Amino acid sequence: MPDTSRRVATFTESVIRHMTRLANAHGAINLSQGFPDFDPPEVLKQAAEHAGRHGPHQYAVTWGAPAFRQALARKQSHFTGLSIDPDANIVVTCGSTEAMMVAMMTACNPGDRVIVFSPFYENYVADTILSGAEPIYVPLHPPAFRFDEAELRAAFAQKPKAIILCNPANPSGRVFTRSELQTIAQLAAQADAFVITDEVYEHIVFAPHLHTYFAALPGLFERTITCGSLSKTYSVTGWRLGYVIAAPAVIAGARKVHDFLTVGAAAPLQEAAVAGLNLPDSYYAELQASYRAKRELFLGFLGQTGLRFTEPEGAYYAMVDIADSGWTDDRAFCDWLVKEVGVAAVPGSSFFHEPVHNLIRFHFAKRPETLEAAGQRLIGLRERAAQAPGRV
Ligand code: GLN
């Protein structure tokens, strides 16, 4: 049998998705892979039912069904203050997972360097490798997960082609301030680099923090390739609807990459999703309020674990420090947690370039009763973990 490519040997399987399989195998409450255990709004379910019955069932326009692009352009123009053209600025993709891959393949030549903040959402490194680029890591220092301007400057001095910016950030929960974004913008302009943003958590931000759309900063639209998704905003992670928003010259390339990768996102679901994109502002306010309540509930339980943790400013993850329990191996800890405590988390080391083994990530995109059940199991975790026979 021939060998598979060297490329596939250069990155590992997703640890996040592995943890979901492990959670299922052990019947644990799954706070690892971030997706809701509640349904999308009723209007979306009704629209999906309608599309299932009446179609369309054949390919949509490869870069996105017109109705979807129009609704998306209207919604994103409203929230960003930009004037997004549905015909010139958008490619609809299979989730932001594809959007990021499309953005990277459109922006980068093989051998180019790309700045990735560490900890990072694990896809970014695979995206970088698959597009032939080489990551330059810049730490977001725990527990506050801020970058050091000098370290970022040094990374930009290596003349990267792009920087990947997840904001609000997975897994750290950071919402970058306007001033941090301006620093990134200034350095990116000096290096003439693209800024590829992943803004899938744009509507999950906890006051007083505010989300700033990078593309909407003065003069930055042309430099920015925005990747977004409907997954988190409308609780439809399985619909796989995402998008790239960028300047026409970038979109021209992105359309081709997307076309040859996947042809298009599911046509009936694009039609159905228009109902979500047309929801009034009150929907987003309610979404924020509901996530704030989940955050308060879950952080309340984390407070009873006896472990230290970073309060998230946005997104729906919390990073917990296991060092005080005496464990030094986050993977072994997560294994023990899933089997003995019945709660699944993601070992933090899968998000870090640096050898960090004292953090684990929980997500709280769950119904209150699920968070309550998981939370009850986590009370007193530090003591219990400290006394666990297999502690490493
Ligand atoms: N974004 C989610 C997470 O970080 C899920 C990602 C995925 O598995 N596609 O857990």
Side-chain angles (χ1 to χ4, degrees):
M1 188 187 158
D3 288 342
T4 53
S5 74
R6 282 189 297 278
R7 186 189 301 120
V8 297
T10 53
F11 55 92
T12 55
E13 243 190 74
S14 158
V15 178
I16 297 176
R17 266 101 59 200
H18 165 75
M19 287 312 301
T20 282
R21 292 192 291 274
L22 209 60
N24 293 341
H26 292 277
I29 301 173
N30 189 4
L31 302 187
S32 62
Q33 186 179 16
F35 62 88
D37 67 347
F38 45 89
D39 273 357
E42 190 57 33
V43 286
L44 275 160
K45 292 204 285 184
Q46 279 166 7
E49 218 172 304
H50 187 270
R53 174 59 51 200
H54 301 285
H57 292 294
Q58 310 310 326
Y59 303 125
V61 176
T62 175
W63 53 88
F68 182 95
R69 276 184 284 117
Q70 280 153 20
L72 178 67
R74 200 166 50 240
K75 183 214 154 212
Q76 294 307 116
S77 298
H78 170 63
F79 282 105
T80 59
L82 291 162
S83 163
I84 295 162
D85 179 343
D87 296 319
N89 298 134
I90 296 177
V91 180
V92 181
T93 57
C94 299
S96 64
T97 297
E98 190 206 338
M100 287 297 298
M101 195 69 242
V102 166
M104 288 291 293
M105 295 194 85
T106 304
C108 296
N109 288 308
D112 280 344
R113 288 156 200 231
V114 174
I115 297 179
V116 178
F117 284 115
S118 168
F120 46 81
Y121 173 47
E122 53 177 19
N123 283 38
Y124 303 155
V125 171
D127 292 342
T128 308
I129 293 168
L130 286 172
S131 58
E134 216 179 288
I136 307 172
Y137 297 98
V138 173
L140 293 174
H141 297 279
F145 297 104
R146 288 175 190 279
F147 61 81
D148 177 307
E149 193 177 325
E151 285 175 339
L152 187 62
R153 194 174 290 282
F156 271 108
Q158 295 181 52
K159 297 265 170 285
K161 187 68 191 291
I163 175 169
I164 297 178
L165 176 71
C166 184
N167 185 34
N170 175 8
S172 66
R174 269 317 304 289
V175 175
F176 292 96
T177 62
R178 212 180 160 84
S179 129
E180 285 172 307
L181 297 177
Q182 274 158 348
T183 302
I184 295 170
Q186 197 187 30
L187 293 171
Q190 278 163 12
D192 197 20
F194 280 114
V195 179
I196 300 176
T197 71
D198 176 352
E199 296 179 75
V200 302
Y201 303 99
E202 65 193 298
H203 295 293
I204 306 175
V205 179
F206 308 111
H209 304 281
L210 278 177
H211 178 61
T212 306
Y213 290 91
F214 199 86
L217 289 172
L220 283 163
F221 185 71
E222 304 248 297
R223 186 171 298 293
T224 309
I225 308 179
T226 302
C227 298
S229 159
L230 277 67
S231 293
K232 294 4 191 199
T233 304
Y234 306 102
S235 311
V236 288
T237 61
W239 287 28
R240 312 308 303 127
L241 290 176
Y243 51 87
V244 175
I245 293 181
V250 173
I251 290 299
R255 280 181 179 181
K256 291 189 281 184
V257 177
H258 159 72
D259 191 6
F260 288 108
L261 278 177
T262 62
V263 179
L269 295 179
Q270 290 190 55
E271 294 302 329
V274 171
L277 294 166
N278 286 343
L279 283 167
D281 281 5
S282 58
Y283 171 73
Y284 304 94
E286 282 158 25
L287 184 80
Q288 298 259 18
S290 129
Y291 271 106
R292 173 169 277 282
K294 293 180 195 308
R295 176 185 181 271
E296 300 322 307
L297 176 62
F298 190 61
L299 296 191
F301 283 111
L302 286 185
Q304 296 174 71
T305 59
L307 295 171
R308 282 176 284 175
F309 57 93
T310 304
E311 291 196 0
E313 300 167 352
Y316 50 49
Y317 306 98
M319 295 292 264
V320 175
D321 189 339
I322 59 169
D324 290 343
S325 69
W327 287 68
T328 52
D329 181 337
D330 59 329
R331 282 182 177 245
F333 187 94
C334 285
D335 251 36
W336 169 80
L337 192 67
V338 89
K339 290 177 189 154
E340 302 300 327
V341 181
V343 179
V346 182
S349 54
S350 59
F351 304 108
F352 279 92
H353 172 64
E354 304 79 29
V356 173
H357 293 284
N358 63 312
L359 298 175
I360 64 172
R361 188 197 80 172
F362 289 104
H363 87 93
F364 52 86
K366 292 283 181 252
R367 287 172 293 151
E369 51 271 39
T370 311
L371 294 174
E372 183 78 39
Q376 291 295 345
R377 295 181 187 189
L378 294 175
I379 292 173
L381 184 62
R382 179 170 65 98
E383 282 295 292
R384 191 166 163 199
Q387 285 156 17
R391 194 182 87 179
V392 270

